[in-house]
Amino acid sequence: MLSPGNRASSPEITPLRQFWRAPGDPTAVSSNERELLDLVRRNGALSRADLVRATGLAAQSIVRLVDELCERGLLRLGATLPREGRGKPSPAVELVPSHAYTIGFSITTDSVSSALVDFSGAVLGQKHEHTPALDRAGLIALMERQIRTHLRMHKLERDKLFGVGVGITGFFVGQNRQVNPPPPLDDLALTDLDEQLAKALGLPIWLENDGTAAAVGESLLGAGRFASSFVYLYFSMGLGGGVVVEGRSLRGAHGNAGEVAGMLPALGMEVPTLEQLRRMLEDDGIAFADIGSMLEQFNPHWPACARWVERARPAISFIVSACVALLDPDAIVFGGRQPRALAEQLIAQVAIDNKARRGRKRPEPRLIPAEAPHDATAIGAAALPLKEHYFF
């Protein structure tokens, strides 16, 4: 079984808190190997000549790297690719999907979702459970149960799991990046949650906030297919987010990059959340115990939805305008647990502060609902171990 390693000693150097394998681990890859693997991951299949052009490495080096990675079971030679110009046809260089598997978890205030992902990034299975009043013991039992179910359904041995990624709602505090979640998750707050999960599950754990994990998922399966840089707005019990710049997630010094709601209170703006919408529905006589229950019966024609959009418009317009000015992204994604129909209503009302000069405005990003399939946080969390260890 792959056992948890030691915590990274410098969170400033390695912002993502994680449990690495011991030094000298045979699964480690060099920087050139990582570049090669990432190119194949993003493109699906490439010839050796494609890799030479993309990396600038000598043809002999590419042949050696590919052969070594094939021997180690990370790459394989597939079907022959069409020949370009003169020369012999070349076999496709592909990832080996069965080399390793990861499971990602999304922990919200009232639910836990998981996704099983193979080495190529394909999502093999997803699970979702409604979990009001979740504590640490309950979380560990639930995660173990879902891990066993995924492995059984896909006939996998536990030692094929490279690790477990966890995306949890909340922000990080302290030198060891302890998570500080909303009140429904009080028992998970301000503890070394990743260390406890690693010990209980016997697997390496990568812990991230839900907004950044969802942004990673969106970069793999959604907006990342056309936008190399984007901001992801995560609507749930609170309002958070994630930032992807040139294909890589931006975490910041403490792992809290993308916590967009933090800029609102000083301006006297209320934070628009799905919990706010739930309470507005309650005022209308439509009561739900929690956000998950509301989303199961969501109706975009509820009058409260239009009123919520109107209340949310100033704050979201300000956040979007600030993101455009600071980051100049290709897109801003409206996601999290927000239903697509509600996201579309809100996007239609957002106004970007973009004054013209000489009749020209700054280029503006596309404002789009999240495109990654549910649950982007679980999928992104599953990608964390592979991206941190093998890919960019």
Side-chain angles (χ1 to χ4, degrees), residues 1-7 18-28 100-102 158-164 202-206 385-386 389-390:
M1 179 182 295
L2 300 173
S3 59
N6 294 324
R7 181 187 311 162
Q18 58 207 269
F19 286 77
W20 288 96
R21 289 162 177 74
D25 180 4
T27 65
Y101 300 85
T102 61
R158 198 179 184 95
D159 61 5
K160 293 296 288 185
L161 282 181
F162 183 78
V164 174
L203 291 165
I205 296 292
W206 280 256
L386 298 179
H389 197 81
Y390 288 112

Side-chain angles (χ1 to χ4, degrees), residues 313-382:
R313 183 185 59 78
I316 299 303
S317 293
F318 173 78
I319 288 171
V320 168
S321 298
C323 290
V324 171
L326 290 171
L327 299 170
D328 189 26
D330 298 310
I332 295 181
V333 180
F334 289 62
R337 303 176 73 188
Q338 185 180 49
R340 184 181 183 89
L342 186 62
E344 290 173 343
Q345 291 182 40
L346 182 55
I347 288 170
Q349 298 300 317
V350 170
I352 300 177
D353 187 1
N354 188 4
K355 292 181 174 60
R357 179 182 296 166
R358 298 184 182 90
R360 303 284 296 274
K361 291 184 176 182
R362 290 171 293 160
E364 294 184 355
R366 292 173 58 181
L367 307 185
I368 59 172
E371 295 188 358
H374 184 78
D375 178 322
T377 300
I379 295 169

Side-chain angles (χ1 to χ4, degrees), residues 48 93 104 119 159 180 231 248 251 255 264 287-288 299 325 347 356 358 360 370 372 374:
R48 290 189 181 95
V93 178
F119 189 62
D159 61 5
N180 196 3
V231 176
R248 302 188 185 188
R251 297 185 178 93
L264 298 177
F288 296 103
N299 182 347
I347 288 170
R358 298 184 182 90
R360 303 284 296 274
H374 184 78

Side-chain angles (χ1 to χ4, degrees), residues 64-81:
R64 176 181 57 80
L65 288 168
V66 169
D67 287 348
E68 290 178 356
L69 289 169
C70 285
E71 289 177 7
R72 292 163 58 186
L74 283 78
L75 293 178
R76 67 186 180 193
L77 299 180
T80 301
L81 293 172

Side-chain angles (χ1 to χ4, degrees), residues 198-384:
K199 182 177 180 180
L201 300 174
L203 291 165
I205 296 292
W206 280 256
L207 183 67
E208 190 56 272
N209 69 49
D210 51 4
T212 297
V216 171
E218 188 74 17
S219 72
L220 293 174
L221 301 172
R225 292 174 295 185
F226 65 84
S228 63
S229 299
F230 63 89
V231 176
Y232 188 101
L233 303 182
Y234 192 98
F235 293 85
S236 186
M237 184 79 173
L239 173 63
V243 181
V244 172
V245 178
E246 297 300 326
R248 302 188 185 188
S249 60
L250 177 66
R251 297 185 178 93
H254 307 97
N256 293 322
E259 286 290 318
V260 292
M263 64 179 79
L264 298 177
L267 299 173
M269 294 183 176
E270 60 181 348
V271 179
T273 68
L274 295 183
E275 174 62 13
Q276 181 188 66
L277 175 59
R278 188 191 70 82
R279 292 176 178 173
M280 292 173 66
L281 286 167
E282 194 170 60
D283 293 339
D284 288 354
I286 307 174
F288 296 103
D290 48 43
I291 293 171
S293 301
M294 176 184 72
L295 297 178
E296 287 175 0
Q297 301 182 49
F298 181 76
N299 182 347
H301 301 296
W302 284 328
C305 289
R307 299 201 312 273
W308 180 84
V309 166
E310 183 61 26
R311 287 179 64 175
R313 183 185 59 78
I316 299 303
S317 293
F318 173 78
I319 288 171
V320 168
S321 298
C323 290
V324 171
L326 290 171
L327 299 170
D328 189 26
D330 298 310
I332 295 181
V333 180
F334 289 62
R337 303 176 73 188
Q338 185 180 49
R340 184 181 183 89
L342 186 62
E344 290 173 343
Q345 291 182 40
L346 182 55
I347 288 170
Q349 298 300 317
V350 170
I352 300 177
D353 187 1
N354 188 4
K355 292 181 174 60
R357 179 182 296 166
R358 298 184 182 90
R360 303 284 296 274
K361 291 184 176 182
R362 290 171 293 160
E364 294 184 355
R366 292 173 58 181
L367 307 185
I368 59 172
E371 295 188 358
H374 184 78
D375 178 322
T377 300
I379 295 169
L384 292 174

Side-chain angles (χ1 to χ4, degrees), residues 78-94:
T80 301
L81 293 172
R83 182 174 60 187
E84 296 182 7
R86 298 180 179 181
K88 296 181 180 180
S90 177
V93 178
E94 304 169 340

